[in-house]
Amino acid sequence: MPQQQTSADLPAPVDDIQQIPTISIEGIQPSTRQRAFSFSNLVKRTRRAYSVSSVYPVKAHPALALPFNSQNNLSPEEFVDKIKLPSLTPAQRRNSIAAAHRKYEDFEQKIEAAPLVVLVSTYLNYFVLILFGHMRDIIGKIFKRKEYAHLRTNEGYAPLVSDFDSFYTRRMYLRIRDCWNRPTTGVPGRKITILERESKDFNLTFRLTGRKLEAINFSSYNYLGFAQNNGLCADQVEECVKQYGTSSASPRLEAGTLDIHRNLERKVANFVGKEDSIIVSMGFATNSTTIPSLVGKGCLVISDELNHSSIIFGVRLSGASVRVFKHNNMIDLRNLLREVISQGQPRTHRPWKKIVVIVEGLYSMEGSIVNLPELIKLKREFKPFEKCNQFYLYVDEAHSIGALGENGCGVCDFYGISPKHVDIMMGTFTKSFGAAGGYIAGDKAVIDHLRATNHAFSYAETMSPLVIQQVSSSMGIIMGEDGTDDGVKRIQQLAENSRYFSRELRRLGFIVYGDEGSPVIPLLLFNPAKISAFSREMLKRNIAVVVVGYPATPIISSRARFCISSAHTREDLDKAIQDINEVGELLMIKFKSLRFHEPHTDPSDVGCVGSNKNLPCSGGHTAEMLQLIKSLDPKYYYPRTYVIANTDLLSSEKAKEYEQSTGLQNQFDIRTIPRAREVGQSWSKVPVSALLALTASVKVILLSWPDLIICNGPGSCVPICMLAYIPRILGIKKIEIIYIESFARVESLSVTGKLLYPFVDRFLVQWPQLSNILDKAEYKGILI
Ligand SMILES: Cc1ncc(COP(=O)(O)O)c(C=O)c1O
């Protein structure tokens, strides 16, 4: 009977990643440490069985450096000097001081939840769509029998495509089909040329109009701008075609292996810091054929819930069991690992033959970057249970290779982690290299195994010589082989462009996903009706962008996805931002309830919660309120919503004046509401006017969905503050309320103050007498 471990036997968490004992820097030889367990050990037997003799000489693995620490006795400055030495390989250079301190939390962007009102309207939208769609199907099948023949039972046979299966395609996708598969021509570089088309039958068919439209391209994965028809890459590709033609006209296993195939495999291995690699002519097939070569029955794949379909497809083909963990959630993964290791295989409870955790480096729909440091910690944590229980790490770097890291070498480079901690590195050439195909890099023994067992490698057409040359040239530029700093500049430009673009969109109030530095920037649209509206409106403004909805995303989080390129200029980005802002206003998709973007000190000691503020102003209170706002840094407190009584013209002007003086644009909003009671108004009319004020206040709260409300006494802030309390009672959101009693109130509270006293979070008074008689009141000085 195989011995089982219980979860209690499993190791306690290891918190310190610095414990990884693999430090070596140039000039200091790495200690020759016997690998206790590795993927190569795992496949050695298989390798013998297939008796594959490698054509590759054994290559010494470069001494990869971990950042400075106590073991190499270098100060940070000495370490920097050391890694700057020109003789260092890219793999050695990749570990820098900056990278040494990188943790996922440093650039993680919290995913912002949709405002309640947006969620409700989105679900309502789908409800109406489904209801009417089914009604039309039922009626159509009765009255339009011919048109609906393919959905009805056909002479006793079940319909090939049931109305349920095709419902989404017919009732949703068909209406907005013009936003996808747009035909283009020319080079998909910084700009893209779109062939205009029209449909006269509600998107059933399209006809090209013959007109061409040039748009700034945010839809191609041209991260480093290598998709070009001129320059070094194009020239070398041209030369290569003259020498090798366009195809090797055979699979690798037969006569298809050219010298340039092998050269590229060595180059890729060197680039990513692994012993060896294989290249495959299609990125999708790289995953879907490699995974079945590595795992099968009795093995377990643990997959991130948002992994690409090529991974899912590969796992299904392999016959291995699969368990899914929450996206990039290391706590969930750890719990899952404990469970699967302690329980073993279903029914027999035998230990799993292999456990492989598969993640992506950069998630193409979310823009999130894998939490690699925590994954490596987990690997170490579970390491003591060798032979059957350690898990292997497979990282798909389709989007991160070239695009992340100081040297463009992917997530390991980005974090400053040695690639040896990742067992299988997969990547594609379709994104950063402006080419096609994919690679698998790993220990030599593993790669030899794949050469014999990977179907795409053995049976599929090999990578075309011109594609090989494009990859080789662009990779060479990234590595600085051309003797210029073009590659480094592209990498830096991409990082700068990505940060600028996402920061500006966030600042404008959009909900934007993606971790800091990600060139994939999804902007949330939520409502399905806005998918097509956004795409069409952006195209009208000559911006090409991909929009994504269900089933590629969860049903409520439809989005537009911007792919940033180093080829984009600041003007391109600014034009796009301006257009997105315009479309955002038009479609009302600036949902963000902004949190503070940077740590700050409380500027006026009146409160430091949230940033999307409602600032009820009215008449004599305006001067105080403006005084108060001036003491808040507008960079952190935005967007600002001024709520003003509709009879008060002066306050609105003053608010605009102040906003202009900040020099910041599009950060504020002025909303007017009727007063619950005008000064001198008869009390008999108050119920009606109060109801009107309440209705307008509901709109203000729902549209601005603030984090913080600051008010200083006008009656109009009563309904606002009361309504803002409801989400707190319902447990949806805590909107903080700060109330400042008027300067005119020395010994007693105003009516508004009395009404709001129980509800507000901070109650500030401008006379010490008041703070003496009220528990909650705080005296912090006077405002004016
Ligand atoms: C994570 C991931 N893996 C694999 C692939 C497949 O790559 P290719 O498009 O080169 O076939 C993609 C495609 O976008 C991807 O995003």
Side-chain angles (χ1 to χ4, degrees):
M1 269 274 293
Q3 222 187 336
Q4 285 301 305
Q5 280 115 21
T6 64
S7 7
D9 297 331
L10 294 173
V14 178
D15 278 327
D16 187 4
I17 195 170
Q18 297 296 348
Q19 286 176 13
I20 302 170
T22 49
I23 286 79
S24 161
I25 57 161
E26 218 224 2
I28 302 172
Q29 286 305 311
S31 58
T32 46
R33 194 169 61 88
Q34 183 63 41
R35 271 173 177 276
F37 194 64
S38 73
F39 230 122
S40 39
N41 288 352
L42 192 82
V43 295
K44 256 178 199 151
R45 262 173 296 149
T46 334
R47 193 157 62 99
R48 271 201 297 277
Y50 285 103
S51 65
V52 174
S53 64
S54 170
V55 287
Y56 295 89
V58 180
K59 182 169 149 291
H61 189 52
L64 298 183
L66 263 186
F68 71 96
N69 80 353
S70 55
Q71 297 197 36
N72 55 36
N73 293 326
L74 288 178
S75 71
E77 294 72 29
E78 284 167 336
F79 185 82
V80 170
D81 287 345
K82 198 109 193 155
I83 60 167
K84 274 186 192 153
L85 288 176
S87 60
L88 293 182
T89 67
Q92 287 166 318
R93 271 195 289 124
R94 70 170 52 96
N95 296 299
S96 72
I97 288 296
H101 297 287
R102 277 195 186 140
K103 285 199 197 114
Y104 181 59
E105 297 77 44
D106 294 345
F107 50 88
E108 180 190 6
Q109 293 282 344
K110 296 272 180 260
I111 287 188
E112 178 116 11
L116 187 67
V117 61
V118 176
L119 287 185
V120 173
S121 79
T122 305
Y123 278 119
L124 210 65
N125 220 303
Y126 275 110
F127 176 74
V128 172
L129 186 90
I130 292 167
L131 187 74
F132 279 81
H134 279 302
M135 271 164 53
R136 284 181 65 186
D137 276 2
I138 294 166
I139 296 168
K141 274 192 248 174
I142 299 169
F143 296 107
K144 292 184 173 177
R145 297 178 71 81
K146 231 177 174 178
E147 264 180 52
Y148 282 76
H150 64 294
L151 297 177
R152 287 189 295 116
T153 315
N154 193 0
E155 292 172 5
Y157 288 96
L160 208 49
V161 183
S162 82
D163 54 353
F164 187 76
D165 292 343
S166 62
F167 182 83
Y168 188 80
T169 328
R170 285 179 299 113
R171 296 290 174 221
M172 168 94 192
Y173 176 62
L174 190 71
R175 289 160 180 235
I176 55 177
R177 203 155 73 98
D178 58 305
C179 302
W180 286 275
N181 307 326
R182 284 196 178 111
T184 65
T185 183
V187 182
R190 188 187 131 228
K191 298 219 167 161
I192 191 164
T193 309
I194 297 164
L195 302 176
E196 194 189 68
R197 55 186 181 166
E198 61 180 14
S199 175
K200 295 204 164 131
D201 51 10
F202 303 103
N203 284 357
L204 265 179
T205 55
F206 291 102
R207 192 185 68 84
L208 291 177
T209 62
R211 281 191 293 274
K212 288 179 185 169
L213 189 82
E214 198 174 65
I216 304 177
N217 187 8
F218 288 95
S219 53
S220 305
Y221 304 125
N222 183 22
Y223 298 136
L224 293 179
F226 282 119
Q228 284 174 301
N229 55 358
N230 53 29
L232 187 68
C233 293
D235 293 346
Q236 289 184 347
V237 167
E238 199 178 341
E239 281 304 308
C240 177
V241 173
K242 282 185 195 147
Q243 197 181 339
Y244 288 90
T246 53
S247 163
S248 58
S250 175
R252 288 291 291 273
L253 217 53
E254 294 168 19
T257 302
L258 296 170
D259 52 351
I260 49 175
H261 283 114
R262 291 185 182 148
N263 292 344
L264 182 60
E265 286 173 345
R266 287 193 194 103
K267 193 167 188 168
V268 169
N270 182 35
F271 183 62
V272 300
K274 281 287 178 190
E275 283 180 5
D276 205 350
S277 81
I278 53 164
I279 52 172
V280 173
S281 53
M282 183 187 176
F284 190 98
T286 311
N287 269 333
S288 55
T289 56
T290 298
I291 295 168
S293 300
L294 294 173
V295 289
K297 210 162 174 285
C299 301
L300 177 70
V301 171
I302 300 183
S303 177
D304 186 291
E305 64 179 337
L306 296 184
N307 272 348
H308 189 255
S309 62
S310 56
I311 297 173
I312 298 167
F313 191 59
V315 174
R316 282 189 189 149
L317 274 183
S318 74
S321 302
V322 59
R323 295 290 297 270
V324 173
F325 66 97
K326 284 189 202 145
H327 175 54
N328 222 2
N329 185 328
M330 294 303 128
I331 297 170
D332 196 42
L333 175 60
R334 187 172 184 277
N335 290 341
L336 187 58
L337 279 165
R338 289 175 73 91
E339 183 201 318
V340 295
I341 292 174
S342 62
Q343 293 303 308
Q345 296 186 43
R347 286 195 301 277
T348 62
H349 294 290
R350 286 204 178 119
W352 294 100
K353 287 185 190 159
K354 286 174 226 174
I355 298 176
V356 183
V357 172
I358 306 186
V359 291
E360 290 181 30
L362 169 62
Y363 289 81
S364 59
M365 287 295 162
E366 313 295 306
S368 42
I369 299 168
V370 67
N371 190 347
L372 193 62
E374 284 303 311
L375 264 171
I376 310 278
K377 269 196 206 173
L378 276 181
K379 259 193 114 197
R380 295 195 63 75
E381 184 181 332
F382 287 90
K383 189 154 182 158
F385 295 91
E386 282 178 6
K387 298 223 165 60
C388 53
N389 286 323
Q390 185 199 7
F391 68 85
Y392 296 100
L393 188 55
Y394 182 120
V395 182
D396 178 337
E397 295 237 53
H399 289 267
S400 47
I401 193 74
L404 290 186
E406 283 163 54
N407 307 289
C409 300
V411 275
C412 288
D413 185 15
F414 183 75
Y415 285 107
I417 287 174
S418 165
K420 75 178 184 189
H421 297 296
V422 178
D423 301 288
I424 296 287
M425 289 179 140
M426 181 271 171
T428 66
F429 302 123
T430 26
K431 280 77 186 173
S432 296
F433 304 95
Y439 67 84
I440 297 283
D443 289 351
K444 188 174 171 306
V446 181
I447 299 302
D448 283 345
H449 168 74
L450 292 179
R451 276 183 217 290
T453 56
N454 181 306
H455 282 55
F457 184 84
S458 319
Y459 301 114
E461 176 56 41
T462 55
M463 200 180 266
S464 156
L466 57 105
V467 173
I468 292 182
Q469 189 55 56
Q470 169 69 19
V471 179
S472 180
S473 301
S474 51
M475 198 176 278
I477 293 175
I478 297 172
M479 293 163 93
E481 279 177 0
D482 59 339
T484 71
D485 59 356
D486 183 19
V488 174
K489 278 191 180 147
R490 285 175 195 250
I491 293 166
Q492 283 168 356
Q493 190 63 51
L494 175 66
E496 206 179 302
N497 284 356
S498 307
R499 274 198 296 269
Y500 177 72
F501 198 75
S502 65
R503 195 179 56 225
E504 287 303 298
L505 292 185
R506 284 192 169 101
R507 197 179 61 75
L508 288 172
F510 292 99
I511 294 188
V512 171
Y513 283 2
D515 292 324
E516 199 184 317
S518 158
V520 177
I521 301 177
L523 182 151
L524 272 287
L525 304 169
F526 297 108
N527 198 308
K530 293 186 179 168
I531 301 177
S532 51
F534 189 83
S535 173
R536 289 171 193 152
E537 286 298 327
M538 290 309 290
L539 197 61
K540 269 190 214 164
R541 291 163 176 78
N542 291 4
I543 306 285
V545 58
V546 166
V547 281
V548 202
Y550 178 81
T553 67
I555 200 148
I556 54 147
S557 42
S558 308
R559 64 198 67 174
R561 191 186 54 179
F562 293 87
C563 289
I564 305 297
S565 169
S566 62
H568 289 136
T569 60
R570 186 50 76 87
E571 289 73 45
D572 294 338
L573 300 182
D574 284 339
K575 175 179 168 10
I577 290 164
Q578 200 183 334
D579 292 339
I580 297 166
N581 189 30
E582 215 175 284
V583 175
E585 297 283 350
L586 186 73
L587 304 182
M588 298 202 290
I589 49 173
K590 293 163 124 193
F591 309 115
K592 193 165 179 159
S593 71
L594 291 167
R595 304 262 150 214
F596 292 113
H597 288 242
E598 286 163 49
H600 68 289
T601 47
D602 184 355
S604 65
D605 206 15
V606 290
C608 53
V609 270
S611 54
N612 186 10
K613 295 185 302 308
N614 282 3
L615 308 161
C617 311
S618 168
H621 298 285
T622 308
E624 278 183 9
M625 180 52 80
L626 284 173
Q627 191 65 25
L628 194 63
I629 300 165
K630 280 177 196 161
S631 64
L632 303 174
D633 189 337
K635 273 206 306 263
Y636 302 127
Y637 293 81
Y638 68 88
R640 298 169 287 280
T641 304
Y642 294 86
V643 185
I644 293 171
N646 56 5
T647 48
D648 174 9
L649 301 175
L650 189 73
S651 300
S652 156
E653 285 313 309
K654 290 212 164 146
K656 279 186 199 154
E657 225 172 75
Y658 162 69
E659 287 294 338
Q660 262 170 12
S661 73
T662 63
L664 300 164
Q665 280 168 6
N666 303 320
Q667 285 199 345
F668 77 102
D669 210 355
I670 295 181
R671 297 192 186 276
T672 52
I673 56 169
R675 285 185 205 270
R677 180 176 173 267
E678 286 289 349
V679 181
Q681 184 187 331
S682 140
W683 283 98
S684 64
K685 290 184 185 157
V686 168
V688 177
S689 56
L691 195 66
L692 288 175
L694 196 70
T695 319
S697 306
V698 172
K699 203 171 151 200
V700 168
I701 291 289
L702 288 179
L703 289 177
S704 55
W705 201 237
D707 291 327
L708 167 66
I709 294 177
I710 303 175
C711 52
N712 66 334
S716 21
C717 65
V718 175
I720 298 264
C721 294
M722 300 260 186
L723 285 166
Y725 211 72
I726 296 175
R728 183 184 308 202
I729 296 168
L730 298 177
I732 300 167
K733 177 175 179 171
K734 187 177 176 201
I735 299 174
E736 305 273 342
I737 306 169
I738 298 174
Y739 179 84
I740 300 114
E741 185 54 287
S742 164
F743 178 70
R745 292 289 163 172
V746 184
E747 285 182 336
S748 65
L749 293 183
S750 62
V751 179
T752 310
K754 281 179 194 157
L755 285 171
L756 292 182
Y757 185 77
F759 298 100
V760 299
D761 297 281
R762 293 183 75 177
F763 195 95
L764 292 146
V765 291
Q766 303 193 49
W767 292 96
Q769 291 90 318
L770 269 178
S771 70
N772 291 341
I773 55 168
L774 295 164
D775 290 346
K776 204 177 185 179
E778 299 170 57
Y779 169 69
K780 298 276 177 185
I782 51 172
L783 270 174
I784 46 173

